[in-house]
Structures are given as structure tokens and as C-alpha cells.
Amino acid sequence: MADSSAPNVPSWVDVGTPDLADATRFYTTLFGWAARVSPQPEAGGYTIFTKDEKVVAGAGPPFSEAQRPAWATYVTTDNAHDAARRVEAAGGTVLMPPFDVLDQGRMAVFTDPAGAPISVWQPIEMGGAELFNVPGALCWNELTTRDPEGAKAFYGAVFGWGVKDNAFGPVTYTEWLLNGRSVAGMMPMAGEQWPPDMPPHWMVYFAVNDCDATAARAAELGGTVSVAPTDIPQGRIAVLTDPQGAVFSVIRMAQT
């Protein structure tokens, strides 16, 4: 991914979870992260995770009791209100209109026309993650959807993304491009491996040194190995679920 907090690039992820203490235990042990809890009462215990003293991800309470535990992808924007207008014009839904997050920035939460949630972040004091593409840090964001053609139109209109389609057997994998650089991906939800009740979503990937060892450790810590370690051209991946039910992926990048 593009390791940048430039506009229209995914640059932050956080997990919404009903048990911040246990989520912190799980992720700090799994990835070797340190945790810093916001001292401001109105932050609700929002926690910043760091790796080698650099910010890598966050964790916070759910916005409502109905919200399922999940990792969220944030795309940097110059103006959250303008982004919200583009979302509505392109057929998406504004779930949470732009609002200030203390003095750190402004965010908004949307769904694309197929229902996948996506957030934007307009930075003020906090720019986003500071470390990418190394073990223990975010390395990829990927939309999984049953409507890839609709997604191409929507995300192109909202973020100005172009596309590069890559054929992998019967599946066409799409890279999202910004100014010719790959910034994220898209996987079509086609085939029996996708349960019909699984909603479209944005998956987050963290780089690791050893995919198999990380998957085994996640299970020891109370998580679940949802998809066992598997080789792909880009490396070796596994899909994991934390003890609260939030799903994420890990990848040992192929040596180049």
C-alpha cells in the first residue's frame, strides 16, 4: 500500500470492540504493540497502539450497542463534509455525518451502495498511522463486495480512484490506483467460500514475520483461525478473528 497520509489514501484503522481491555491484551501480545489510553473521559477509553514508538492502529468502544465488533478502514480527506456530499451523490449512505474527534481531527462514516462501511479522516492533530508495510503494521486494505462494478463507479467518484484488474484464475482482483500508485484492493465475493449472509466489508491486513506462528498464537490468545495460513502470489496469509469477533488478516510478504 502507499505509506502516506495524503488525501484519498487509506491511512488509519481501528477496531470497534465491546471489551477494550481484552482486545488490548490480545493485540499487544499478538503483534508486540504498546498501548496508550486517552486520558480524556470523553474519549471513552480510546486506545492508540504503537510499534517501535510509532502509531500503527487504534481501538475504541462501539458507537452503538447494535454495532458488531469490526476493524474499520479510514481514508484521509481534505474535507469530510465534501466527502459526505460525494458519497451521497454517488449512491452511498452517510451513517455518521462529519464530527470533530476532540482536537485530533474530523471523521465521518459511510456505506457504499452495496453496504460496505468506510470512514474518512480529516486530520488536525493526528494524521494517521506512522508505520506501514513492516511486521506489526498495516500493509493493505481490501474491499470485499458482490458488486465490483458498482464499487468501481462509487469509489472512483468519491476518492478519484482508478482501477487495475488482475486475473487470478476465475477471479478478477482489482487494485485501486491513485495517481498511478496502488493504494488498496478489491476482491469479488464470488464462489461457495463466501457465505450468503456475510456482508460486504473492508478487510485490514497486518504484516507479520511468520504467518503460521501468528495464527497459532492468535488461537492460544483466545482468537479463532477463520482461514488457515495459505500461500498466494503476494505471500502467505491467514484470516483471524479476535476474541470479541472482529476479523482481520495477516500476511508474510513474499520475498522479492
Side-chain angles (χ1 to χ4, degrees):
M1 68 176 294
D3 54 345
S4 168
S5 58
N8 300 317
V9 175
S11 58
W12 184 244
V13 294
D14 64 13
V15 61
T17 178
D19 191 338
L20 276 170
D22 194 59
T24 297
R25 172 199 64 85
F26 177 81
Y27 288 106
T28 55
T29 306
L30 185 67
F31 291 130
W33 291 345
R36 182 174 73 240
V37 180
S38 173
Q40 297 162 297
E42 58 268 40
Y46 193 88
T47 301
I48 295 290
F49 295 121
T50 61
K51 179 77 172 178
D52 299 330
E53 300 184 351
K54 293 186 177 181
V55 172
V56 291
F63 289 114
S64 71
E65 292 184 359
Q67 181 182 340
R68 298 166 57 183
W71 278 92
T73 289
Y74 293 73
V75 178
T76 297
T77 182
D78 282 333
N79 190 306
H81 290 279
D82 286 348
R85 284 189 283 269
R86 292 195 299 272
V87 164
E88 292 184 317
T93 301
V94 177
L95 294 182
M96 300 184 69
F99 64 95
D100 290 335
V101 182
L102 304 175
D103 60 349
Q104 299 300 296
R106 181 170 295 154
M107 66 171 286
V109 183
F110 316 123
T111 58
D112 67 22
I118 184 74
S119 299
V120 294
W121 179 253
Q122 181 182 338
I124 300 176
E125 292 295 325
M126 190 271 200
E130 299 171 341
L131 191 66
F132 297 89
N133 305 325
V134 299
L138 180 69
C139 64
W140 195 240
N141 303 76
E142 180 181 272
L143 172 66
T144 57
T145 181
R146 294 181 178 85
D147 184 14
E149 293 306 313
K152 290 176 183 178
F154 175 80
Y155 290 99
V158 174
F159 298 126
W161 290 349
V163 299
K164 177 184 177 183
D165 288 335
N166 305 279
F168 291 107
V171 175
T172 297
Y173 188 87
T174 299
E175 294 177 58
W176 298 110
L177 305 178
L178 184 67
N179 299 324
R181 297 179 64 194
S182 181
V183 296
M186 176 171 62
M187 173 70 75
M189 299 173 75
E192 296 180 354
Q193 70 269 33
W194 301 100
D197 60 344
M198 179 179 287
H201 58 278
W202 276 87
M203 176 68 78
V204 302
Y205 286 75
F206 296 103
V208 295
N209 282 316
D210 188 324
C211 181
D212 294 72
T214 302
R217 185 61 171 144
E220 292 172 358
L221 292 169
T224 303
V225 180
S226 300
V227 177
T230 303
D231 289 326
I232 62 172
Q234 292 74 24
R236 187 165 176 82
I237 68 168
V239 181
L240 310 175
T241 303
D242 73 17
Q244 286 69 51
V247 179
F248 63 102
S249 293
V250 295
I251 180 168
R252 178 186 59 78
M253 302 299 294
Q255 300 299 313
T256 57

